[in-house]
Amino acid sequence: MPTGPKTVDAELFRLAVAQTCTYAVFLLDTAGRILTWNAGAERIKGYAPEEIIGRHFSIFYPRDAIDRGSPAHELKAAAAEGHFEDEGWRLRKDGSRFWASVTITALRDDDGRLLGFAKITCDLTARMLHEEALRQSEERFRLLVDGVIDYAIFMLDPQGIVTSWNGGAQRIKGYSREEIIGKHFSCFYVPADVEAGKPWEGLARARRTGRAEGEGWRIRKNGERFWARVVLNALYDSEGRLRGFAKVTQDLSERRQIKDLETAAKNLNEFIATLAHELRNPLAPIRNAVQVMGKLPVGDPTQEAMRQTIDRQSAQLVRIVDDMLDIARIARGGLDIEHSPVDLAEVARRAIETSGPALDGGKHTLDVDLPVTPLLVSGDVHRLTQLVTNLLNNSARYTPEGGRVTVEARAEAGWAVLRVRDTGRGIEPQVIGRIFDMFVQAHAPPQQGAEGLGVGLALARRIAELHGGSLEAHSEGENKGSEFTLRVPLLERMDAVADKRQSAVPDATAQSGMRQRVLLADDNVDAAKALDLLLRSLGHETCVVHDGLQALEKAVDFRPDIVLLDIGMPGLDGYEVARRLGKLKKERSFRIVAITGLSQEADRQTSREAGFDLHLVKPVDLDKLAGIVGARRD
């Protein structure tokens, strides 16, 4: 009997199905009974053809699937829709389970009558186990990352949008997952860093090199700043495409605080040692001068030289005490300034005059370039002069003998800008960021005996900031000189004039020859005696007492024109004496002047409230005292 092409094709198809080992391929009748069985079905399910043909295909389903009616549902769905696909657990002959991919196809004749079903089953157990292992691994990794609370670990997309968030990130930064996912990570940066483009610089560096890391200030949800160490890693897929970034942030605030405390303690120890040295420098010549004067006869010319030595070194002691008081004011934020129109060029001229001895002592050449027209700013002329003087003294101190110091000022885009340059020791890169810190000195100055307390630059920057300005330092490095740039906003109206108030201290020269009766009360006998001699040398009549009660008694008998009161006396202090003298002032006119070591604005306010007319701080300037005592009150 001849065979045609169709018979050959049918036989080949039967053989292909029967011998396929990778898939279980078999036929079911309309009721679900097995009609055929191929080699793949025997391999996967374990049954021989004679064991399984004629049985219902539900034998391959676990009990729970049978109870749910899954076999009948699958046949019904295949008959209705033409085919049915599913993945799930199936059973082998030995009772073991395997994960199967199942396709059931409805078979119909040309008239649409249902003849049965073709069923193909593929064993996906190995793939399923691999995927499950991967899922569990990912889950364990997720739990591990979420469980880390000491580090913020999160993912960014290629544009920097947050796509994941762990428990440490929520603890450190304060945001919940719902609040932060979908936002750009630049929200963690301080505004200045955002303006400078640092978040995007970090992403670009990670893209170029695969990694970016560093330390800096970051912001929590509540606005609080913290010091962070961050690591940013770029993530690429197998084809080299950037998929995003992994970011790890560590909060180092406590570590930085400890480091800052250690640095502060070190600086403080160095400051105390420097202070002791600075105090010994003027005290030694003062003591020597006094001993020499005690051995000289009256009128000896050497007496004047010794007096000048004491005067110079006393002024140095006053400068040290003033620096220490300014340190205290900075520490508690109490450094106040008075605002009035000030010519910054004139400030520079005053500072140059004040710093003259330091510049001359170093044999430095001074170049000055100041504008003829005023550079008007709103500020405190004394504090600004102090600032520029500190800059000039700093240049004189750290410039080797015979150097050059340049001072220039000009208007630049709404700012009054003053620069002080020198050819001195310069500033190392690792130090330049700290030179404005309190008690910090870059290195020992070349001028012997010119160490200073290490507070001048810190005070100078604070004064600049209180004027709405800035003070910056620049240096090319060690032995390449330094440049300090002060910027203060110019006054909007350049023709503004100062609100000049009448000075409470008259000119001493104009008051010469006016004899006053002066009551002096001070519990420090030596200080009172020295001041008494000074007042008598000026031609005034004096009465000296050493406590508050005596001061009240003598105020009645002596009838003074002016009372000089120390505040810190035992028994009745100066405040109480001034209050009681207020009653006597109603009967006759006289002035009460505080002579005290208390110099804060709060102290001045307290003395005004107690009834003092003036408040002078020890040691009192001779010319100022002469002017005050010489002024008669009508």
Side-chain angles (χ1 to χ4, degrees):
M1 176 177 172
T3 59
K6 290 186 178 181
T7 305
V8 174
D9 290 347
E11 180 62 17
L12 285 175
F13 180 74
R14 184 190 68 78
L15 290 174
V17 172
Q19 295 177 19
T20 296
C21 296
T22 306
Y23 296 90
V25 182
F26 52 97
L27 296 175
L28 305 177
D29 65 14
T30 57
R33 289 184 293 269
I34 298 168
L35 299 176
T36 64
W37 198 245
N38 79 331
E42 184 172 354
R43 184 187 66 81
I44 293 173
K45 297 179 181 286
Y47 293 95
E50 59 272 17
E51 293 177 307
I52 197 64
I53 290 176
R55 303 184 68 174
H56 197 273
F57 83 112
S58 61
I59 192 174
F60 308 134
Y61 288 72
R63 172 50 57 186
D64 58 338
I66 294 174
D67 292 342
R68 291 196 305 271
S70 293
H73 166 72
E74 293 175 8
L75 292 181
K76 183 177 180 181
E81 300 179 11
H83 74 281
F84 174 83
E85 294 181 5
D86 186 30
E87 285 190 11
W89 291 110
R90 297 296 186 267
L91 297 179
R92 307 184 201 275
K93 176 183 175 182
D94 61 7
S96 62
R97 301 203 308 174
F98 68 98
W99 189 260
S101 171
V102 175
T103 300
I104 301 176
T105 302
L107 303 176
R108 297 180 182 274
D109 61 16
D110 294 340
D111 295 327
R113 183 163 51 97
L114 182 65
L115 302 177
F117 302 92
K119 194 167 189 298
I120 301 175
T121 302
C122 180
D123 185 354
L124 299 182
T125 305
R127 191 198 74 179
M128 187 276 297
L129 292 176
H130 175 73
E131 291 177 350
E132 178 64 17
L134 181 61
R135 187 192 66 78
Q136 291 182 2
S137 175
E138 291 175 347
E139 179 66 11
R140 285 193 297 269
F141 180 75
R142 185 189 65 79
L143 292 174
L144 172 65
V145 171
D146 283 348
V148 173
I149 61 174
D150 293 330
Y151 295 85
I153 304 174
F154 53 99
M155 306 290 290
L156 307 175
D157 72 7
Q159 287 72 46
I161 303 299
V162 179
T163 59
S164 73
W165 199 245
N166 81 324
Q170 181 165 343
R171 184 188 70 83
I172 292 173
K173 298 179 182 284
Y175 295 93
S176 67
R177 285 183 178 85
E178 296 74 19
E179 291 174 316
I180 199 61
I181 288 180
K183 292 187 176 181
H184 196 272
F185 83 116
S186 59
C187 66
F188 308 135
Y189 286 73
V190 296
D193 287 348
V194 174
E195 292 177 7
K198 289 189 176 181
W200 296 272
E201 288 178 6
L203 294 180
R205 189 163 64 253
R207 279 194 297 268
R208 289 193 307 268
T209 65
R211 178 185 178 90
E213 59 181 305
E215 292 187 10
W217 291 110
R218 296 295 185 268
I219 299 179
R220 308 186 204 275
K221 176 186 174 182
N222 61 7
E224 176 187 346
R225 298 200 314 171
F226 68 99
W227 188 258
R229 182 177 185 274
V230 297
V231 178
L232 186 67
N233 286 284
L235 304 176
Y236 294 91
D237 62 18
S238 58
E239 298 179 0
R241 291 176 298 188
L242 179 67
R243 304 307 299 267
F245 302 89
K247 197 166 193 295
V248 179
T249 301
Q250 183 181 10
D251 185 352
L252 297 182
S253 299
E254 291 185 5
R255 186 184 302 178
R256 179 181 173 88
Q257 185 177 16
I258 292 172
K259 183 179 179 181
D260 288 347
L261 289 173
E262 291 173 348
T263 301
K266 177 176 177 292
N267 289 342
L268 182 58
N269 289 335
E270 292 175 355
F271 166 71
I272 292 173
T274 303
L275 176 60
H277 176 71
E278 286 285 294
L279 289 174
R280 289 192 186 100
N281 280 338
L283 286 175
I286 288 175
R287 186 174 181 84
N288 292 338
V290 170
Q291 291 175 346
V292 170
M293 292 176 71
K295 296 177 181 180
L296 294 173
V298 176
D300 191 301
T302 308
Q303 292 257 6
E304 175 59 19
M306 294 299 97
R307 186 200 66 77
Q308 292 178 3
T309 296
I310 293 174
D311 183 61
R312 286 194 303 271
Q313 300 303 324
S314 297
Q316 177 71 356
L317 283 173
V318 170
R319 182 190 66 77
I320 294 172
V321 172
D322 286 343
D323 280 350
M324 294 179 66
L325 290 174
D326 284 333
I327 291 169
R329 293 186 183 106
I330 292 175
R332 68 171 187 272
L335 189 65
D336 297 323
I337 61 171
E338 296 181 1
H339 282 277
S340 61
V342 176
D343 179 6
L344 193 61
E346 179 60 28
V347 165
R349 296 184 186 98
R350 291 190 182 197
I352 290 169
E353 181 179 352
T354 303
S355 300
L359 294 165
D360 293 341
K363 301 179 181 179
H364 301 311
T365 299
L366 179 65
D367 296 327
V368 181
D369 181 9
L370 300 176
V372 178
T373 57
L375 286 175
L376 290 182
V377 300
S378 176
D380 188 317
V381 64
H382 300 295
R383 285 298 185 184
L384 287 172
T385 302
Q386 181 183 16
L387 185 162
V388 181
T389 301
N390 283 346
L391 297 182
L392 289 170
N393 287 341
N394 186 77
S395 289
R397 181 180 298 123
Y398 287 102
T399 299
E401 189 173 284
R404 182 176 294 274
V405 178
T406 302
V407 182
E408 63 180 27
R410 58 178 48 86
E412 294 181 4
W415 296 86
V417 181
L418 183 144
R419 293 183 175 88
V420 175
R421 290 193 300 273
D422 61 60
T423 58
R425 296 280 295 271
I427 309 168
E428 300 91 334
Q430 65 270 23
V431 177
I432 198 165
R434 300 192 300 110
I435 60 170
F436 292 106
D437 293 343
M438 194 70 73
F439 312 138
V440 170
Q441 294 181 336
H443 38 55
Q447 310 298 329
Q448 186 175 3
E451 291 85 350
L453 297 178
V455 301
L457 292 181
L459 178 60
R461 170 169 276 188
R462 184 60 183 142
I463 292 172
E465 291 171 346
L466 287 172
H467 284 80
S470 64
L471 178 62
E472 302 296 335
H474 174 74
S475 175
E476 295 296 332
E478 190 170 4
N479 297 320
K480 294 185 178 180
S482 305
E483 178 177 297
F484 290 86
T485 302
L486 168 67
R487 287 183 172 84
V488 183
L490 285 167
L491 276 178
E492 292 183 0
R493 294 182 59 193
M494 298 300 292
D495 60 347
V497 294
D499 178 17
K500 296 182 179 180
R501 294 173 293 179
Q502 188 67 30
S503 173
V505 182
D507 182 12
T509 303
Q511 302 297 334
S512 60
M514 298 183 64
R515 182 181 177 87
Q516 300 284 298
R517 297 168 63 83
V518 183
L519 172 60
L520 172 60
D522 195 327
D523 64 311
N524 187 318
V525 176
D526 289 338
K529 184 176 180 180
L531 195 54
D532 179 43
L533 291 173
L534 174 61
L535 292 169
R536 287 178 180 273
S537 71
L538 294 174
H540 300 297
E541 182 180 354
T542 62
C543 177
V544 180
V545 296
H546 301 297
D547 63 54
L549 288 175
Q550 289 181 329
L552 291 174
E553 293 173 0
K554 291 298 182 180
V556 176
D557 299 335
F558 184 63
R559 299 180 63 82
D561 298 302
I562 186 167
V563 179
L564 303 181
L565 277 181
D566 178 37
I567 290 179
M569 293 185 294
L572 289 180
D573 63 16
Y575 294 133
E576 183 58 30
V577 173
R579 292 187 188 97
R580 298 190 185 187
L581 287 177
K583 300 177 181 178
L584 191 61
K585 286 179 69 174
K586 295 178 181 179
E587 301 174 6
R588 55 185 174 83
S589 177
F590 60 91
R591 288 181 299 159
I592 308 173
V593 180
I595 306 289
T596 176
L598 302 175
S599 62
Q600 306 302 314
E601 181 57 37
D603 302 321
R604 298 177 187 275
Q605 179 64 30
T606 303
S607 68
R608 284 194 293 269
E609 293 172 352
F612 283 96
D613 297 294
L614 291 171
H615 186 107
L616 301 182
V617 178
K618 297 179 180 178
V620 179
D621 180 80
L622 171 60
D623 292 336
K624 181 180 289 188
L625 181 63
I628 291 172
V629 175
R632 184 182 299 276
R633 168 172 285 190
D634 295 327

